[in-house]
Amino acid sequence: VFFSVRAAKPIYNHEFVIEAFSGFVEQSDADSYLLLSTMNGSSKYINSLKKVAEQHLVRDRVVFLDVIENKQMPVYYNFVDAVISVPSSDGMPQSLYESMACGCFHILGDLAQYHELVTDKVEGLYVSLGDVVSLTNALLWVAENRNGLKSKAAETRETVIKLADKKQQIVNINSMYEKHLF
């Protein structure tokens, strides 16, 4: 199960994800599904995504999720095999921190800021933006390495805790101030 977690906006390239998932389905015998967020999406855009899924003959394997309450997100993160996020551009998304805290493996567009947090083939895989074959191959890689990825969940969680734990970051900042003030 793959989860295209970002908002239903064109910048997040859900059409590209659906197309790559279609290629994955054609090449894999896995009984796989793609969960797709509809958060903040217009009905026009969501309907266009449904048409893309129909055109690629995967409509029965693409689940369009209603808006998920924040407190329910860990349920989804712990259910899926990998989270997909391949935007055209991005900052450092909260969903990346949240999903890593749940031990998720990621398939990410190759944007520089993600490299600060995710090591290739450890916490995630990087794909070339706009390259459907690259994303399809990443999906295939995740399916082939599924069991090993689940065993790295604790390591993924530890990685994000070191960098994004609020209590630890307060300690770090206070320590920096103390070094410069005294």
PDB file of all heavy atoms in Angstrom, residues 30-58:
ATOM      1  N   ALA A  30       1.906  -7.976  -7.212  1.00  0.00           N
ATOM      2  CA  ALA A  30       1.433  -7.615  -5.870  1.00  0.00           C
ATOM      3  C   ALA A  30       0.012  -7.068  -5.936  1.00  0.00           C
ATOM      4  O   ALA A  30      -0.365  -6.377  -6.881  1.00  0.00           O
ATOM      5  CB  ALA A  30       2.358  -6.566  -5.253  1.00  0.00           C
ATOM      6  N   ASP A  31      -0.756  -7.385  -4.932  1.00  0.00           N
ATOM      7  CA  ASP A  31      -2.118  -6.865  -4.807  1.00  0.00           C
ATOM      8  C   ASP A  31      -2.009  -5.519  -4.095  1.00  0.00           C
ATOM      9  O   ASP A  31      -2.179  -5.428  -2.885  1.00  0.00           O
ATOM     10  CB  ASP A  31      -2.972  -7.848  -4.016  1.00  0.00           C
ATOM     11  CG  ASP A  31      -4.437  -7.448  -3.981  1.00  0.00           C
ATOM     12  OD1 ASP A  31      -4.871  -6.657  -4.837  1.00  0.00           O
ATOM     13  OD2 ASP A  31      -5.141  -7.914  -3.071  1.00  0.00           O
ATOM     14  N   SER A  32      -1.679  -4.488  -4.852  1.00  0.00           N
ATOM     15  CA  SER A  32      -1.317  -3.190  -4.279  1.00  0.00           C
ATOM     16  C   SER A  32      -2.397  -2.144  -4.481  1.00  0.00           C
ATOM     17  O   SER A  32      -3.189  -2.217  -5.413  1.00  0.00           O
ATOM     18  CB  SER A  32      -0.020  -2.703  -4.918  1.00  0.00           C
ATOM     19  OG  SER A  32       1.007  -3.603  -4.650  1.00  0.00           O
ATOM     20  N   TYR A  33      -2.324  -1.142  -3.592  1.00  0.00           N
ATOM     21  CA  TYR A  33      -3.255  -0.024  -3.650  1.00  0.00           C
ATOM     22  C   TYR A  33      -2.498   1.277  -3.447  1.00  0.00           C
ATOM     23  O   TYR A  33      -1.456   1.307  -2.798  1.00  0.00           O
ATOM     24  CB  TYR A  33      -4.339  -0.163  -2.568  1.00  0.00           C
ATOM     25  CG  TYR A  33      -5.284  -1.294  -2.898  1.00  0.00           C
ATOM     26  CD1 TYR A  33      -4.995  -2.594  -2.497  1.00  0.00           C
ATOM     27  CD2 TYR A  33      -6.430  -1.066  -3.636  1.00  0.00           C
ATOM     28  CE1 TYR A  33      -5.838  -3.645  -2.824  1.00  0.00           C
ATOM     29  CE2 TYR A  33      -7.280  -2.105  -3.960  1.00  0.00           C
ATOM     30  CZ  TYR A  33      -6.974  -3.391  -3.556  1.00  0.00           C
ATOM     31  OH  TYR A  33      -7.801  -4.422  -3.891  1.00  0.00           O
ATOM     32  N   LEU A  34      -3.068   2.328  -3.989  1.00  0.00           N
ATOM     33  CA  LEU A  34      -2.558   3.677  -3.813  1.00  0.00           C
ATOM     34  C   LEU A  34      -3.614   4.480  -3.072  1.00  0.00           C
ATOM     35  O   LEU A  34      -4.747   4.607  -3.553  1.00  0.00           O
ATOM     36  CB  LEU A  34      -2.255   4.317  -5.170  1.00  0.00           C
ATOM     37  CG  LEU A  34      -1.910   5.806  -5.171  1.00  0.00           C
ATOM     38  CD1 LEU A  34      -0.605   6.059  -4.405  1.00  0.00           C
ATOM     39  CD2 LEU A  34      -1.810   6.328  -6.601  1.00  0.00           C
ATOM     40  N   LEU A  35      -3.251   4.979  -1.911  1.00  0.00           N
ATOM     41  CA  LEU A  35      -4.121   5.895  -1.171  1.00  0.00           C
ATOM     42  C   LEU A  35      -3.735   7.293  -1.596  1.00  0.00           C
ATOM     43  O   LEU A  35      -2.553   7.628  -1.633  1.00  0.00           O
ATOM     44  CB  LEU A  35      -3.928   5.738   0.337  1.00  0.00           C
ATOM     45  CG  LEU A  35      -4.059   4.337   0.917  1.00  0.00           C
ATOM     46  CD1 LEU A  35      -3.864   4.377   2.431  1.00  0.00           C
ATOM     47  CD2 LEU A  35      -5.391   3.723   0.562  1.00  0.00           C
ATOM     48  N   LEU A  36      -4.725   8.107  -1.900  1.00  0.00           N
ATOM     49  CA  LEU A  36      -4.449   9.443  -2.387  1.00  0.00           C
ATOM     50  C   LEU A  36      -5.235  10.461  -1.571  1.00  0.00           C
ATOM     51  O   LEU A  36      -6.454  10.361  -1.444  1.00  0.00           O
ATOM     52  CB  LEU A  36      -4.832   9.539  -3.866  1.00  0.00           C
ATOM     53  CG  LEU A  36      -4.154  10.655  -4.615  1.00  0.00           C
ATOM     54  CD1 LEU A  36      -3.621  10.133  -5.935  1.00  0.00           C
ATOM     55  CD2 LEU A  36      -5.105  11.782  -4.840  1.00  0.00           C
ATOM     56  N   SER A  37      -4.536  11.419  -1.035  1.00  0.00           N
ATOM     57  CA  SER A  37      -5.155  12.459  -0.232  1.00  0.00           C
ATOM     58  C   SER A  37      -6.011  13.386  -1.102  1.00  0.00           C
ATOM     59  O   SER A  37      -5.601  13.756  -2.199  1.00  0.00           O
ATOM     60  CB  SER A  37      -4.061  13.290   0.456  1.00  0.00           C
ATOM     61  OG  SER A  37      -4.618  14.419   1.073  1.00  0.00           O
ATOM     62  N   THR A  38      -7.170  13.754  -0.594  1.00  0.00           N
ATOM     63  CA  THR A  38      -7.993  14.755  -1.283  1.00  0.00           C
ATOM     64  C   THR A  38      -8.033  16.065  -0.499  1.00  0.00           C
ATOM     65  O   THR A  38      -8.797  16.963  -0.836  1.00  0.00           O
ATOM     66  CB  THR A  38      -9.435  14.246  -1.504  1.00  0.00           C
ATOM     67  OG1 THR A  38     -10.038  13.992  -0.231  1.00  0.00           O
ATOM     68  CG2 THR A  38      -9.451  13.002  -2.368  1.00  0.00           C
ATOM     69  N   MET A  39      -7.173  16.167   0.510  1.00  0.00           N
ATOM     70  CA  MET A  39      -7.125  17.351   1.366  1.00  0.00           C
ATOM     71  C   MET A  39      -6.942  18.623   0.527  1.00  0.00           C
ATOM     72  O   MET A  39      -6.075  18.673  -0.347  1.00  0.00           O
ATOM     73  CB  MET A  39      -5.975  17.212   2.359  1.00  0.00           C
ATOM     74  CG  MET A  39      -5.794  18.403   3.270  1.00  0.00           C
ATOM     75  SD  MET A  39      -4.419  18.170   4.409  1.00  0.00           S
ATOM     76  CE  MET A  39      -3.025  18.231   3.308  1.00  0.00           C
ATOM     77  N   ASN A  40      -7.754  19.607   0.779  1.00  0.00           N
ATOM     78  CA  ASN A  40      -7.691  20.921   0.139  1.00  0.00           C
ATOM     79  C   ASN A  40      -7.850  20.888  -1.380  1.00  0.00           C
ATOM     80  O   ASN A  40      -7.509  21.845  -2.060  1.00  0.00           O
ATOM     81  CB  ASN A  40      -6.380  21.645   0.488  1.00  0.00           C
ATOM     82  CG  ASN A  40      -6.266  21.924   1.959  1.00  0.00           C
ATOM     83  OD1 ASN A  40      -7.256  22.189   2.629  1.00  0.00           O
ATOM     84  ND2 ASN A  40      -5.061  21.835   2.488  1.00  0.00           N
ATOM     85  N   GLY A  41      -8.370  19.807  -1.903  1.00  0.00           N
ATOM     86  CA  GLY A  41      -8.545  19.703  -3.350  1.00  0.00           C
ATOM     87  C   GLY A  41      -9.915  20.173  -3.794  1.00  0.00           C
ATOM     88  O   GLY A  41     -10.913  19.949  -3.107  1.00  0.00           O
ATOM     89  N   SER A  42      -9.946  20.802  -4.950  1.00  0.00           N
ATOM     90  CA  SER A  42     -11.236  21.182  -5.523  1.00  0.00           C
ATOM     91  C   SER A  42     -11.877  19.939  -6.128  1.00  0.00           C
ATOM     92  O   SER A  42     -11.183  18.987  -6.515  1.00  0.00           O
ATOM     93  CB  SER A  42     -11.040  22.239  -6.605  1.00  0.00           C
ATOM     94  OG  SER A  42     -10.389  21.670  -7.737  1.00  0.00           O
ATOM     95  N   SER A  43     -13.189  19.928  -6.200  1.00  0.00           N
ATOM     96  CA  SER A  43     -13.864  18.772  -6.797  1.00  0.00           C
ATOM     97  C   SER A  43     -13.438  18.604  -8.255  1.00  0.00           C
ATOM     98  O   SER A  43     -13.301  17.477  -8.739  1.00  0.00           O
ATOM     99  CB  SER A  43     -15.382  18.897  -6.673  1.00  0.00           C
ATOM    100  OG  SER A  43     -15.833  20.080  -7.289  1.00  0.00           O
ATOM    101  N   LYS A  44     -13.169  19.708  -8.952  1.00  0.00           N
ATOM    102  CA  LYS A  44     -12.721  19.624 -10.348  1.00  0.00           C
ATOM    103  C   LYS A  44     -11.387  18.886 -10.444  1.00  0.00           C
ATOM    104  O   LYS A  44     -11.203  18.007 -11.289  1.00  0.00           O
ATOM    105  CB  LYS A  44     -12.596  21.033 -10.932  1.00  0.00           C
ATOM    106  CG  LYS A  44     -12.157  21.061 -12.374  1.00  0.00           C
ATOM    107  CD  LYS A  44     -12.069  22.484 -12.900  1.00  0.00           C
ATOM    108  CE  LYS A  44     -11.547  22.479 -14.330  1.00  0.00           C
ATOM    109  NZ  LYS A  44     -11.434  23.837 -14.871  1.00  0.00           N
ATOM    110  N   TYR A  45     -10.436  19.226  -9.573  1.00  0.00           N
ATOM    111  CA  TYR A  45      -9.126  18.579  -9.612  1.00  0.00           C
ATOM    112  C   TYR A  45      -9.222  17.113  -9.203  1.00  0.00           C
ATOM    113  O   TYR A  45      -8.635  16.235  -9.837  1.00  0.00           O
ATOM    114  CB  TYR A  45      -8.125  19.322  -8.720  1.00  0.00           C
ATOM    115  CG  TYR A  45      -6.740  18.722  -8.782  1.00  0.00           C
ATOM    116  CD1 TYR A  45      -6.005  18.724  -9.961  1.00  0.00           C
ATOM    117  CD2 TYR A  45      -6.170  18.128  -7.661  1.00  0.00           C
ATOM    118  CE1 TYR A  45      -4.741  18.163 -10.028  1.00  0.00           C
ATOM    119  CE2 TYR A  45      -4.901  17.565  -7.718  1.00  0.00           C
ATOM    120  CZ  TYR A  45      -4.199  17.590  -8.906  1.00  0.00           C
ATOM    121  OH  TYR A  45      -2.954  17.022  -8.973  1.00  0.00           O
ATOM    122  N   ILE A  46      -9.974  16.829  -8.158  1.00  0.00           N
ATOM    123  CA  ILE A  46     -10.133  15.443  -7.705  1.00  0.00           C
ATOM    124  C   ILE A  46     -10.787  14.601  -8.796  1.00  0.00           C
ATOM    125  O   ILE A  46     -10.358  13.470  -9.066  1.00  0.00           O
ATOM    126  CB  ILE A  46     -10.911  15.389  -6.375  1.00  0.00           C
ATOM    127  CG1 ILE A  46     -10.073  16.038  -5.265  1.00  0.00           C
ATOM    128  CG2 ILE A  46     -11.289  13.962  -6.010  1.00  0.00           C
ATOM    129  CD1 ILE A  46     -10.833  16.352  -4.003  1.00  0.00           C
ATOM    130  N   ASN A  47     -11.802  15.144  -9.456  1.00  0.00           N
ATOM    131  CA  ASN A  47     -12.439  14.414 -10.561  1.00  0.00           C
ATOM    132  C   ASN A  47     -11.464  14.179 -11.709  1.00  0.00           C
ATOM    133  O   ASN A  47     -11.497  13.127 -12.345  1.00  0.00           O
ATOM    134  CB  ASN A  47     -13.688  15.147 -11.051  1.00  0.00           C
ATOM    135  CG  ASN A  47     -14.839  15.025 -10.075  1.00  0.00           C
ATOM    136  OD1 ASN A  47     -14.915  14.068  -9.305  1.00  0.00           O
ATOM    137  ND2 ASN A  47     -15.728  16.004 -10.086  1.00  0.00           N
ATOM    138  N   SER A  48     -10.575  15.141 -11.953  1.00  0.00           N
ATOM    139  CA  SER A  48      -9.587  14.945 -13.016  1.00  0.00           C
ATOM    140  C   SER A  48      -8.611  13.823 -12.637  1.00  0.00           C
ATOM    141  O   SER A  48      -8.183  13.046 -13.496  1.00  0.00           O
ATOM    142  CB  SER A  48      -8.834  16.242 -13.334  1.00  0.00           C
ATOM    143  OG  SER A  48      -7.896  16.560 -12.335  1.00  0.00           O
ATOM    144  N   LEU A  49      -8.276  13.711 -11.350  1.00  0.00           N
ATOM    145  CA  LEU A  49      -7.412  12.629 -10.896  1.00  0.00           C
ATOM    146  C   LEU A  49      -8.106  11.274 -11.040  1.00  0.00           C
ATOM    147  O   LEU A  49      -7.473  10.281 -11.427  1.00  0.00           O
ATOM    148  CB  LEU A  49      -6.982  12.844  -9.445  1.00  0.00           C
ATOM    149  CG  LEU A  49      -6.073  14.036  -9.183  1.00  0.00           C
ATOM    150  CD1 LEU A  49      -5.847  14.204  -7.679  1.00  0.00           C
ATOM    151  CD2 LEU A  49      -4.759  13.903  -9.917  1.00  0.00           C
ATOM    152  N   LYS A  50      -9.392  11.245 -10.760  1.00  0.00           N
ATOM    153  CA  LYS A  50     -10.154  10.004 -10.926  1.00  0.00           C
ATOM    154  C   LYS A  50     -10.168   9.582 -12.397  1.00  0.00           C
ATOM    155  O   LYS A  50     -10.053   8.394 -12.707  1.00  0.00           O
ATOM    156  CB  LYS A  50     -11.574  10.165 -10.383  1.00  0.00           C
ATOM    157  CG  LYS A  50     -11.602  10.255  -8.869  1.00  0.00           C
ATOM    158  CD  LYS A  50     -13.002  10.475  -8.343  1.00  0.00           C
ATOM    159  CE  LYS A  50     -12.992  10.559  -6.810  1.00  0.00           C
ATOM    160  NZ  LYS A  50     -14.311  10.817  -6.251  1.00  0.00           N
ATOM    161  N   LYS A  51     -10.280  10.562 -13.289  1.00  0.00           N
ATOM    162  CA  LYS A  51     -10.245  10.253 -14.724  1.00  0.00           C
ATOM    163  C   LYS A  51      -8.877   9.713 -15.140  1.00  0.00           C
ATOM    164  O   LYS A  51      -8.789   8.793 -15.950  1.00  0.00           O
ATOM    165  CB  LYS A  51     -10.608  11.488 -15.544  1.00  0.00           C
ATOM    166  CG  LYS A  51     -12.073  11.827 -15.484  1.00  0.00           C
ATOM    167  CD  LYS A  51     -12.413  13.057 -16.289  1.00  0.00           C
ATOM    168  CE  LYS A  51     -13.883  13.388 -16.092  1.00  0.00           C
ATOM    169  NZ  LYS A  51     -14.256  14.656 -16.721  1.00  0.00           N
ATOM    170  N   VAL A  52      -7.805  10.281 -14.570  1.00  0.00           N
ATOM    171  CA  VAL A  52      -6.457   9.780 -14.863  1.00  0.00           C
ATOM    172  C   VAL A  52      -6.349   8.325 -14.414  1.00  0.00           C
ATOM    173  O   VAL A  52      -5.821   7.470 -15.142  1.00  0.00           O
ATOM    174  CB  VAL A  52      -5.369  10.653 -14.185  1.00  0.00           C
ATOM    175  CG1 VAL A  52      -3.998  10.000 -14.275  1.00  0.00           C
ATOM    176  CG2 VAL A  52      -5.340  12.041 -14.803  1.00  0.00           C
ATOM    177  N   ALA A  53      -6.869   8.023 -13.239  1.00  0.00           N
ATOM    178  CA  ALA A  53      -6.835   6.641 -12.736  1.00  0.00           C
ATOM    179  C   ALA A  53      -7.637   5.713 -13.651  1.00  0.00           C
ATOM    180  O   ALA A  53      -7.216   4.586 -13.924  1.00  0.00           O
ATOM    181  CB  ALA A  53      -7.360   6.588 -11.309  1.00  0.00           C
ATOM    182  N   GLU A  54      -8.774   6.184 -14.139  1.00  0.00           N
ATOM    183  CA  GLU A  54      -9.582   5.386 -15.073  1.00  0.00           C
ATOM    184  C   GLU A  54      -8.834   5.168 -16.386  1.00  0.00           C
ATOM    185  O   GLU A  54      -8.799   4.042 -16.909  1.00  0.00           O
ATOM    186  CB  GLU A  54     -10.920   6.079 -15.339  1.00  0.00           C
ATOM    187  CG  GLU A  54     -11.874   6.015 -14.173  1.00  0.00           C
ATOM    188  CD  GLU A  54     -13.113   6.900 -14.355  1.00  0.00           C
ATOM    189  OE1 GLU A  54     -13.363   7.381 -15.484  1.00  0.00           O
ATOM    190  OE2 GLU A  54     -13.812   7.114 -13.346  1.00  0.00           O
ATOM    191  N   GLN A  55      -8.231   6.212 -16.917  1.00  0.00           N
ATOM    192  CA  GLN A  55      -7.483   6.107 -18.174  1.00  0.00           C
ATOM    193  C   GLN A  55      -6.324   5.123 -18.066  1.00  0.00           C
ATOM    194  O   GLN A  55      -5.994   4.440 -19.034  1.00  0.00           O
ATOM    195  CB  GLN A  55      -6.954   7.478 -18.604  1.00  0.00           C
ATOM    196  CG  GLN A  55      -8.036   8.435 -19.034  1.00  0.00           C
ATOM    197  CD  GLN A  55      -7.537   9.864 -19.141  1.00  0.00           C
ATOM    198  OE1 GLN A  55      -6.439  10.200 -18.703  1.00  0.00           O
ATOM    199  NE2 GLN A  55      -8.359  10.726 -19.729  1.00  0.00           N
ATOM    200  N   HIS A  56      -5.719   5.048 -16.893  1.00  0.00           N
ATOM    201  CA  HIS A  56      -4.581   4.150 -16.681  1.00  0.00           C
ATOM    202  C   HIS A  56      -5.011   2.778 -16.131  1.00  0.00           C
ATOM    203  O   HIS A  56      -4.167   1.966 -15.741  1.00  0.00           O
ATOM    204  CB  HIS A  56      -3.546   4.799 -15.766  1.00  0.00           C
ATOM    205  CG  HIS A  56      -2.785   5.888 -16.446  1.00  0.00           C
ATOM    206  ND1 HIS A  56      -1.773   5.638 -17.347  1.00  0.00           N
ATOM    207  CD2 HIS A  56      -2.909   7.235 -16.377  1.00  0.00           C
ATOM    208  CE1 HIS A  56      -1.298   6.783 -17.793  1.00  0.00           C
ATOM    209  NE2 HIS A  56      -1.977   7.767 -17.232  1.00  0.00           N
ATOM    210  N   LEU A  57      -6.334   2.571 -16.090  1.00  0.00           N
ATOM    211  CA  LEU A  57      -6.916   1.280 -15.702  1.00  0.00           C
ATOM    212  C   LEU A  57      -6.560   0.847 -14.287  1.00  0.00           C
ATOM    213  O   LEU A  57      -6.426  -0.348 -13.997  1.00  0.00           O
ATOM    214  CB  LEU A  57      -6.517   0.187 -16.709  1.00  0.00           C
ATOM    215  CG  LEU A  57      -6.813   0.501 -18.182  1.00  0.00           C
ATOM    216  CD1 LEU A  57      -6.274  -0.600 -19.076  1.00  0.00           C
ATOM    217  CD2 LEU A  57      -8.299   0.738 -18.408  1.00  0.00           C
ATOM    218  N   VAL A  58      -6.432   1.819 -13.381  1.00  0.00           N
ATOM    219  CA  VAL A  58      -6.138   1.500 -11.979  1.00  0.00           C
ATOM    220  C   VAL A  58      -7.154   2.130 -11.019  1.00  0.00           C
ATOM    221  O   VAL A  58      -6.921   2.176  -9.817  1.00  0.00           O
ATOM    222  CB  VAL A  58      -4.700   1.923 -11.576  1.00  0.00           C
ATOM    223  CG1 VAL A  58      -3.660   1.065 -12.276  1.00  0.00           C
ATOM    224  CG2 VAL A  58      -4.468   3.405 -11.819  1.00  0.00           C
TER     225      VAL A  58
END
